[in-house]
């Protein structure tokens, strides 16, 4: 039969060649494999009708054969990748074979949104992962997986970078270098990390060398940062009116002045029936405006500025439009048996607060060389220089600065410490402290991973990995004596420097074997050792002589008798043994068993090691003949149990600690000497051990109609026992507390993920994803102390475990439970007598007196909700139009949590001290007056009546987080200039939110938060 030769090239959607693609004549075994450049050549029979192109991770594509002999094909990544490889602890697994609860993010799917941190990649993309919000120039935010496990120790998840536990700061990882992120959420999947996995594990995989010719990628992002939400502060006109109402409120219940409240009104706009003589109230002055402003507590400076119409916009001087710049270049490729990836990135961000700036330079080198058939060696080196030296303005002070204060002295150049010239300093210029502070705060880190893989007989492999880490940190801070307050102690300088050296050594033995295409075994064995050392020193001095011009550069110029010189060197070691067995029968029934034994030097002599087992089962029920159908394409049921630990505790808390002190010794002759004494300042606890989290998880993974819909549902319950707490001790023992293992916390929750491919046409693709999660946190036990339970008559009817009232920890309630007096409204006119019982007046908050004893005490406290959200959800929608336009938008929501809103008391507080409202400005907030009685806001300068309480308001919100549009220049236009791909991207992040019951700063962060407008260019050669 006659034949002809067909040729072509196979690429992905970014025009990158795909090596290894299988090209076959449909319906036959005639085929070939695409080479490293994606090129293929195939001899076909003359009657062949179609070619079929297949490759793991990509959608198969069928091409009809016509008269042409050249067929270039672009493969699209699979929308549902049951064969996708997921990174698990010390290895990988196909998504189909997972027995634990693991969520994944492929960076390629969100890279258009220009994430600036690992947190940005995770936010809203994986159910059960809670990501905090960073309002500063430094990107980031908190991370938490499946709720709060601990009362004392860290709840931050473990970070694993390229298979090695990552000891550095997550902000030193460049998101442009990340290939994928996999989150191990349940105890079974995380148990291979044992004593460090109780808070979940985040597995980060960086980019490696691509097969084919060298590829250079350059991307730059320039963005404008603006204020997304500003809690309004009174304008000059509003401030005057507010001050009038304030002074009236202060005198409303003063019998000597409450009949003359009109004296605080503007003399040019007196109430009907009030004469000017009445308003003067005996004051003979001729300057009526000056008299009026003095009555409403304007200082002489404020009066002069008011009359000269010279208000100050404090917010405008404290906030700014910031600029973000991010530049990255990378080189990737393969040469013979060597794969290489190198990147260099520079980021320079200016935040929305004047003076807030963050700079970093990051570089990553990944090398892997195949020495021969049985030996492969590799190196991964990450360097980061992080500069956090900026001193931002103290934006919190803007609410304290009245608009008619003065920013400068009369020379118009020198900043005032107090805008109202108040010697008590309640009102401070928000720019002042930063002006007289010089700071250097720099961190340099070098994190390495060197490994060798050896292929042994019988399908056994051995890998040894040595991961040393170096970190150098310095903090130098100078508080100038030119500062009006700091001049009292002659200025101050601080120097703190530390060096860290740590290493890990992993020995891995793996065996993977499939028998008769039915029985699959995968065994992983680990022997680990680690060491951590740090050396730090600090010094502090005041009272420089003759001058502090050199600041921290000349610490010896300090002459203060309170100079502080200290050093602290720490040392810890750890080791671990781990074994894991995975078994699969026909890829339908799967089981995973693991156990890890950890040792850590920080724990007591009686419990230096802990054992952490786990087990997981999975059943692909759609492979059963009796369950096969055309609707549910894939269904898998998972069950897992495991135990993990938390060792995030001080390195020496299990040991007694010796400290030194000084005392003056006097001889009989009267000569005095300074001597040193030793004392024990911490009680030892040889029984201290790990917190342990035991978790159950039941999950279902599903795919409907070959990928039209897919997702998962998980239900979990986890109990953390042996909580690490600082147990209070009787003072007679000489110690205030001892670190112990007491108590139990339980977290339960539901997580759901749904992905839908709504449309998949050549010129229009639309898919959405939705995640939903709930978490209920509850304290099950605390210290084991028992107290009497009494009936209404005071008779003892039983016993119960005691709560820890001082920390607001209550048995059977959430760690974030609100326990305070309950506000049931505001005292109104006509309720003067009832309010007087509690030392209050109409306009003050009315608290519920539960026991009706005429006092608000702890007996009246009630549970009023919680500070953490009851549930969270995220919705993402993505469009591809005409193959060149990519559009995406993202929404997320936190619902059911409350936060403090004491601004409703209309008695502004700063520095945890009450500040007189007549000496500062205020946020614009509703307030009660006799003419406008509200029931949810108190009068100006309201009275608590001696009770301790906060105002709590719902913070539930829905945020429009991100909108992105990207345009990929057609490849035909780029071929002439040898450019592989060019993409232009525009992104708006933090577009807006809806919070029906919160009207203050942003509900996710109670302060100024930024909105980002970013333009990016992504170029590949």
């Amino acid at each position: 039969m006659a034949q002809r030769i067909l040729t072509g090239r196979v690429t992905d959607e970014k025009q990158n060649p795909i090596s290894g693609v299988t090209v076959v004549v449909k319906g036959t075994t005639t085929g070939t494999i695409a080479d490293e450049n994606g090129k293929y050549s195939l001899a076909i029979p003359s009657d062949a009708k179609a070619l079929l192109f297949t490759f793991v991770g990509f959608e198969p594509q069928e091409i009809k054969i016509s008269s042409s002999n050249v067929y270039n094909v672009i493969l699209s990544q699979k929308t549902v990748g049951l064969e996708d490889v997921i990174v698990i602890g010390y290895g990988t697994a196909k998504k189909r074979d997972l027995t634990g609860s693991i969520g994944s993010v492929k960076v390629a799917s969100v890279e258009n949104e220009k994430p600036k941190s690992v947190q940005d990649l995770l936010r809203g993309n994986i159910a059960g992962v809670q990501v905090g919000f960073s309002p500063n120039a430094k990107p980031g935010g908190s991370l938490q997986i499946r709720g709060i496990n601990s009362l004392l120790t860290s709840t931050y998840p473990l970070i694993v970078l390229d298979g090695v536990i990552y000891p550095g700061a997550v902000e030193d990882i460049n998101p442009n270098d990340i290939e994928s992120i996999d989150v191990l959420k349940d105890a079974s999947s995380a148990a291979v990390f044992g004593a460090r996995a109780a808070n979940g594990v985040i597995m980060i995989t960086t980019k490696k060398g691509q097969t084919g010719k060298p590829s250079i990628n350059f991307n730059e992002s320039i963005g404008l940062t603006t204020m997304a939400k500003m809690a309004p502060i009174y304008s000059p006109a509003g401030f005057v009116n507010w001050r009038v109402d304030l002074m009236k409120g202060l005198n409303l219940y003063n019998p000597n002045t409450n009949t003359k409240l009109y004296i605080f009104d503007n003399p040019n706009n007196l109430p009907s029936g009030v004469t000017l003589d009445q308003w003067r109230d005996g004051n003979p002055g001729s300057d009526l405006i000056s008299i009026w402003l003095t009555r409403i507590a304007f200082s002489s400076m404020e009066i002069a500025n008011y009359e000269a119409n010279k208000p100050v916009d404090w917010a405008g001087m404290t906030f700014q439009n910031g600029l973000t710049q991010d530049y990255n270049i990378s080189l990737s490729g393969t040469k013979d048996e060597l794969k290489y990836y190198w990147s260099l990135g520079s980021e320079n961000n200016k935040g929305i607060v004047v003076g807030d700036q963050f700079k970093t330079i990051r570089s990553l080198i990944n090398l892997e060389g195949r020495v021969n058939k049985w030996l492969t060696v590799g190196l991964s080196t990450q360097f980061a220089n992080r500069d956090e030296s900026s001193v931002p303005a103290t934006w919190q002070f803007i609410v304290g600065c009245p608009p008619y204060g003065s920013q400068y002295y009369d020379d118009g150049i020198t900043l005032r410490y107090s805008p109202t010239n108040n010697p008590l300093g309640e009102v401070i210029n928000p720019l002042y402290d930063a002006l007289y502070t010089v700071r250097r705060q720099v961190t340099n880190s070098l994190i390495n991973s060197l490994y060798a893989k050896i292929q042994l007989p019988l399908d056994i492999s051995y890998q040894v990995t040595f991961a040393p880490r170096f970190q150098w940190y310095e903090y130098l801070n100078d508080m100038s004596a030119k500062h009006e307050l700091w001049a009292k102690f002659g200025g101050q300088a601080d120097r703190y420097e530390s060096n860290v050296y740590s290493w890990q050594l992993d020995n891995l033995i793996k065996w993977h074997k499939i028998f008769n295409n039915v029985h699959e075994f995968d065994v992983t064995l680990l022997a680990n050792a680690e060491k951590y050392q740090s050396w730090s020193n600090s010094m502090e001095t005041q009272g420089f002589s003759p001058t502090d011009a050199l600041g921290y550069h000349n610490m010896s110029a300090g002459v203060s008798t309170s100079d502080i010189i200290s050093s602290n060197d720490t040392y810890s070691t750890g080791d671990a043994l781990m074994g894991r067995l995975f078994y699969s029968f026909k890829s339908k029934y799967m089981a995973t068993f693991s156990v890890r034994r950890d040792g850590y030097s920080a724990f007591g002599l009686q419990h230096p090691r802990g054992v952490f087992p786990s087990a997981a089962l999975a059943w692909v029920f759609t492979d059963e003949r009796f369950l096969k159908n055309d609707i549910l394409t894939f269904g898998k049921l998972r069950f897992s149990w495991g135990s993990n630990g938390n060792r995030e505790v001080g390195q020496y808390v299990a040991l007694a600690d010796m400290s030194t002190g000084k005392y003056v010794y006097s001889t009989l002759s009267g000569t005095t000497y300074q001597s040193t004494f030793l004392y024990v300042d911490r009680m030892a606890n040889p029984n201290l051990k790990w917190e342990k989290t035991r978790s159950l998880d039941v999950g279902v993974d599903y795919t409907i109609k070959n990928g039209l819909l897919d997702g998962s549902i998980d239900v979990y319950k986890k109990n953390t026992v042996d909580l690490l707490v600082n147990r209070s001790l009787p003072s007679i023992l000489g110690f205030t507390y001892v670190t112990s293992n007491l108590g139990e916390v339980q977290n339960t929750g539901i997580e759901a993920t749904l992905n839908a491919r709504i449309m998949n046409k050549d010129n229009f693709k639309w898919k959405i994803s939705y995640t939903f999660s709930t978490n209920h946190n509850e304290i099950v036990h605390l210290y084991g102390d028992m107290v009497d339970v009494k009936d209404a008559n005071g008779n003892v009817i039983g016993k119960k475990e005691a709560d820890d009232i001082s920390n607001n920890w209550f048995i059977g309630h959430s760690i974030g439970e609100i326990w305070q007096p309950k506000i049931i409204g505001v005292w109104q006119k006509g309720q003067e007598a009832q309010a007087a019982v509690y030392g209050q007046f109409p306009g003050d908050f009315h608290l519920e007196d539960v026991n009706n004893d005429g006092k608000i005490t702890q007996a009246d406290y009630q549970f009023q909700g919680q500070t953490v959200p009851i549930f969270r959800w995220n919705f993402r929608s993505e469009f591809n139009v005409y193959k060149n336009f990519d559009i995406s938008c993202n929404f997320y929501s936190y619902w059911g949590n409350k936060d403090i809103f004491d601004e409703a008391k209309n008695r502004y507080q700063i520095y945890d001290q009450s500040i007189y409202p007549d000496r500062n400005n205020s946020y614009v907030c509703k307030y009660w007056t006799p003419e406008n009685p509200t029931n949810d806001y108190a009068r100006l300068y309201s009275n608590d009546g001696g009770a301790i309480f906060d105002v709590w308001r719902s913070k539930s919100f829905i945020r429009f987080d991100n909108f992105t549009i990207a345009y990929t220049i057609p490849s035909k236009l780029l071929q002439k200039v040898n450019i592989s791909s060019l993409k232009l991207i525009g992104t708006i992040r933090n577009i807006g939110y809806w919070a029906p019951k919160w009207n203050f700063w942003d509900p996710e962060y109670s302060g100024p938060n930024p909105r980002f407008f970013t333009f990016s260019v992504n170029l590949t050669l």
Side-chain angles (χ1 to χ4, degrees), residues 955-972:
K955 262 195 169 183
S956 300
F957 70 90
I958 300 173
R959 186 185 300 280
F960 188 0
D961 177 57
N962 187 287
F963 177 81
T964 298
I965 183 168
Y967 177 68
T968 302
I969 307 297
S971 58
K972 292 182 180 180

Side-chain angles (χ1 to χ4, degrees), residues 21-27 32 50-54 60-63:
V21 175
T22 300
V23 186
V24 298
V25 176
K26 185 178 180 182
T32 187
L51 293 178
L52 186 63
F53 296 78
T54 58
Q61 188 170 153
E62 182 179 319
I63 299 294

Side-chain angles (χ1 to χ4, degrees), residues 794-820:
N795 300 314
V796 176
I797 58 175
K799 288 184 176 292
K800 70 171 184 177
E801 188 172 352
D803 300 316
D804 185 340
I805 296 176
S806 62
N807 285 307
N808 277 1
W809 295 337
F810 301 94
I811 308 298
H813 292 272
S814 167
I815 294 174
E817 193 86 27
I818 301 166
W819 187 66
Q820 282 194 357

Side-chain angles (χ1 to χ4, degrees), residues 906-924:
N906 284 294
R907 188 177 66 252
Y908 182 67
Q909 292 183 333
I910 194 169
Y911 288 148
D912 295 326
Q913 299 176 9
S914 295
I915 300 300
Y916 296 111
D918 61 353
R919 294 178 187 166
N920 57 263
N921 200 345
S922 172
Y923 290 113
V924 176

Side-chain angles (χ1 to χ4, degrees), residues 844-863:
D844 296 334
F845 274 119
H846 181 188
L847 307 179
E848 185 173 6
D849 185 358
V850 177
N851 58 7
N852 293 314
D853 63 352
K855 297 178 293 184
I856 302 300
T857 64
Q858 278 195 356
D860 303 302
Y861 282 27
Q862 301 180 54
F863 294 106

Side-chain angles (χ1 to χ4, degrees), residues 51-180:
L51 293 178
L52 186 63
F53 296 78
T54 58
F55 189 66
V56 175
F58 289 82
E59 296 286 355
Q61 188 170 153
E62 182 179 319
I63 299 294
K64 292 183 178 179
I65 298 174
S66 61
S67 59
S68 175
N69 290 326
V70 178
Y71 296 89
N72 295 323
V73 176
I74 298 175
L75 295 184
S76 300
Q77 286 190 334
K78 279 188 177 181
T79 53
V80 181
L82 295 178
E83 301 300 315
D84 287 354
V85 174
I86 303 297
V87 177
I88 60 176
Y90 302 107
T92 59
K94 290 187 295 185
K95 188 174 181 180
R96 176 190 176 93
D97 294 339
L98 294 178
T99 57
S101 179
I102 300 178
S104 299
V105 177
K106 300 298 182 185
V107 174
S109 65
V110 294
E111 64 181 358
N112 286 347
E113 299 172 9
K114 305 311 295 182
K116 301 182 74 63
S117 64
V118 172
Q119 289 88 334
D120 287 346
L121 289 169
L122 290 170
R123 184 175 290 108
N125 290 318
I126 298 178
V129 179
Q130 294 88 50
V131 182
F133 187 90
S134 173
N136 305 317
K138 177 182 176 180
S142 61
L143 286 171
Q144 194 177 97
I145 299 174
R146 289 186 169 180
I148 302 172
N149 297 326
S150 181
L151 296 175
L152 177 65
T153 62
S154 171
T155 59
Y156 201 83
L158 178 68
I159 306 296
V160 176
L161 183 68
D162 291 329
V164 178
I165 293 175
Y166 180 72
V170 71
E171 56 264 33
D172 289 339
I173 302 175
N174 190 338
N176 293 280
D177 292 333
I178 298 176
E179 183 74 29
S180 65

Side-chain angles (χ1 to χ4, degrees), residues 225-289:
T225 307
T226 65
M227 179 74 77
K229 170 66 177 180
M230 173 74 190
I233 296 172
Y234 281 114
S235 65
F239 172 75
V240 174
N241 295 331
W242 171 77
R243 186 62 72 86
V244 169
D245 286 346
L246 171 66
M247 299 310 295
K248 288 183 177 180
L250 284 171
N251 290 273
L252 180 62
Y253 299 111
N254 185 339
N256 298 321
T257 57
N258 61 7
T259 59
K260 299 180 181 180
L261 296 181
Y262 53 77
I263 67 174
F264 301 109
D265 286 315
N266 188 329
N268 296 320
N269 187 25
L270 293 175
S272 176
V274 176
T275 66
L276 193 58
D277 285 339
Q278 289 176 310
W279 179 87
R280 282 181 175 276
D281 194 33
N283 191 318
S286 59
D287 188 346
L288 301 182
I289 296 299

